[in-house]
Amino acid sequence: HKAVFFRDPLERFLSAYRSKCDTAFHPDGFEHCRLHFGSAGKTFKGAVKWTVLNHEEEYAADFDAHFKPMYQFCGGLYQTLHFYDTVE
């Protein structure tokens, strides 16, 4: 059996941004921000825009774990989930 618990995607994105791109929260997070967005000084608006432009599957697979879509942590479950009618 498998279970997946996840947060609201927008809340999770904001939390990751604040944790990794805002030095007021975690000063060591800038390296995650730089590697993920290409610069450590990315504004929140810029981070959202970058994510919208780069959300396709081939890019999302390489996302930093803090910004990676939750469905990519499900071991491929997202590919078959639409076949399930109910959860018992």
Side-chain angles (χ1 to χ4, degrees), residues 25-42:
F25 288 88
H26 293 285
D28 63 336
F30 262 15
E31 185 64 12
H32 288 274
C33 192
R34 186 187 65 73
L35 290 172
H36 186 72
F37 296 114
S39 70
K42 187 70 77 174

Side-chain angles (χ1 to χ4, degrees), residues 30-79:
F30 262 15
E31 185 64 12
H32 288 274
C33 192
R34 186 187 65 73
L35 290 172
H36 186 72
F37 296 114
S39 70
K42 187 70 77 174
T43 64
F44 183 72
K45 183 177 180 178
V48 169
K49 184 176 180 177
W50 185 93
T51 302
V52 168
L53 294 174
N54 295 286
H55 74 281
E56 287 84 13
E57 186 73 28
E58 66 269 14
Y59 297 114
D62 295 328
F63 276 14
D64 181 276
H66 299 90
F67 296 97
K68 188 176 284 211
M70 287 303 301
Y71 70 84
Q72 293 196 344
F73 292 98
C74 299
L77 182 63
Y78 73 95
Q79 295 172 333

